[in-house]
């Protein structure tokens, strides 16, 4: 398939003051677009062209010779969801349905989750992501961090919530204060309705 850059699901200035119009213009129009363009270029001739994004991404992750392609597809997948993981007036502790109880039983409650998620993001050395993931094998929630374009799906898990800790995601608004960005993400931006929808869908199992 030919990958396409989806439009932002809100206006470029919708997340201000927590994430600026300038950040979203660069992040969506330049960075996400580059992953889509490069992914479409690198997938040619690999035999993965007919696969879904998720299938091609997992297959590329398993083949070290396709590491360059994986980075682009992983980042395309991550950003498609990242835009939906935020909304104006988001954040806080209002977690939908059974997910709240699951966070309580598997992670020790919201405050512990919040602390561990921020810690994962702060301690991801260099570029990458921090995650709330569902381990498909154990059925347990876990906090993860991954480098570059990696994500829980590549590791056989389900991505429920991810935060981009590449500098391009926060440097315009927060400079080097990655922790302040992560706090703003959780306290004022997270779209828990979208996280709840992913949770209700259940394990994301991708056959490569
Ligand atoms: Mn990014």
């Amino acid at each position: 398939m030919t990958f396409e850059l989806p439009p932002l699901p809100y206006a470029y200035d919708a997340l201000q003051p927590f994430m600026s119009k300038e950040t979203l213009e660069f992040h969506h129009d330049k960075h996400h677009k580059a992953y889509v363009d490069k992914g479409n270029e690198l997938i040619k001739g690999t035999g993965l062209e007919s696969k879904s994004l998720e299938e091609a991404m997992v297959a590329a992750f398993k083949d070290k010779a396709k590491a360059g392609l994986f980075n682009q597809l992983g980042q395309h997948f991550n950003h498609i969801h990242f835009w939906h993981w935020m909304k104006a007036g988001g954040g806080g502790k209002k977690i939908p349905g059974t997910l709240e109880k699951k966070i309580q039983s598997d992670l020790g409650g919201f405050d512990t989750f919040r602390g561990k998620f921020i810690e994962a993001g702060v301690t991801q050395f260099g570029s990458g992501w921090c995650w709330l993931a569902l381990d498909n094998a154990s059925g347990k929630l876990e906090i993860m961090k991954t480098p570059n374009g990696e994500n829980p799906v590549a590791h056989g898990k389900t991505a429920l919530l991810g935060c981009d800790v590449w500098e391009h995601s926060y440097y315009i608004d927060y400079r080097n204060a990655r922790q302040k960005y992560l706090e703003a993400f959780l306290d004022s931006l997270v779209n828990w309705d979208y996280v709840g929808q992913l949770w209700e869908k259940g394990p994301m199992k991708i056959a490569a």
Side-chain angles (χ1 to χ4, degrees):
M1 66 186 294
T2 302
F3 304 115
E4 288 179 14
L5 180 68
L8 270 189
Y10 32 71
Y12 286 89
D13 63 359
L15 304 183
Q16 301 198 103
F18 306 105
M19 188 173 283
S20 66
K21 180 170 181 274
E22 187 183 4
T23 288
L24 283 173
E25 285 171 349
F26 272 89
H27 199 173
H28 177 272
D29 297 4
K30 308 285 186 198
H31 292 278
H32 190 173
K33 182 174 189 299
Y35 300 131
V36 172
D37 291 347
K38 195 77 181 169
N40 281 328
E41 186 186 314
L42 292 179
I43 203 167
K44 282 180 195 158
T46 61
L48 298 175
E49 296 93 326
S50 62
K51 304 267 190 191
S52 70
L53 168 60
E54 291 80 3
E55 289 167 345
M57 176 179 84
V58 171
F61 185 68
K62 290 179 176 168
D63 180 352
K64 291 301 166 203
K66 295 189 177 72
L69 174 62
F70 170 76
N71 280 330
Q72 310 304 325
L73 300 186
Q75 284 291 72
H76 182 35
F77 173 89
N78 295 347
H79 287 82
I80 287 171
H81 292 285
F82 184 60
W83 311 130
H84 288 279
W85 278 321
M86 301 184 288
K87 68 173 186 178
K93 296 187 179 187
K94 278 185 206 158
I95 299 175
T98 56
L99 182 58
E100 183 172 24
K101 283 199 178 72
K102 186 71 174 165
I103 287 174
Q104 185 70 42
S105 61
D106 289 359
L107 300 174
F110 181 86
D111 292 340
T112 310
F113 151 75
R114 183 183 178 281
K116 284 182 179 168
F117 188 91
I118 290 170
E119 186 189 8
V122 168
T123 58
Q124 169 54 42
F125 185 77
S127 297
W129 294 73
C130 58
W131 304 94
L132 171 64
L134 170 66
D135 183 66
N136 298 339
S138 69
K140 298 267 190 193
L141 296 181
E142 57 185 68
I143 303 295
M144 292 176 72
K145 56 184 173 181
T146 57
N148 303 315
E150 279 186 40
N151 54 48
V153 181
H155 292 277
K157 302 168 195 274
T158 301
L160 297 177
L161 173 65
C163 185
D164 187 344
V165 298
W166 286 57
E167 282 188 346
H168 66 226
S169 193
Y170 63 88
Y171 212 82
I172 291 170
D173 300 321
Y174 298 88
R175 296 301 172 188
N176 61 332
R178 190 188 282 188
Q179 176 152 349
K180 284 203 163 49
Y181 156 67
L182 283 156
E183 289 170 358
F185 179 82
L186 285 177
D187 297 340
S188 305
L189 290 174
V190 172
N191 181 354
W192 282 112
D193 295 330
Y194 188 67
V195 180
Q197 287 169 25
L198 294 173
W199 164 245
E200 293 298 334
K201 276 189 196 169
M204 184 182 275
K205 289 180 178 163
I206 308 300

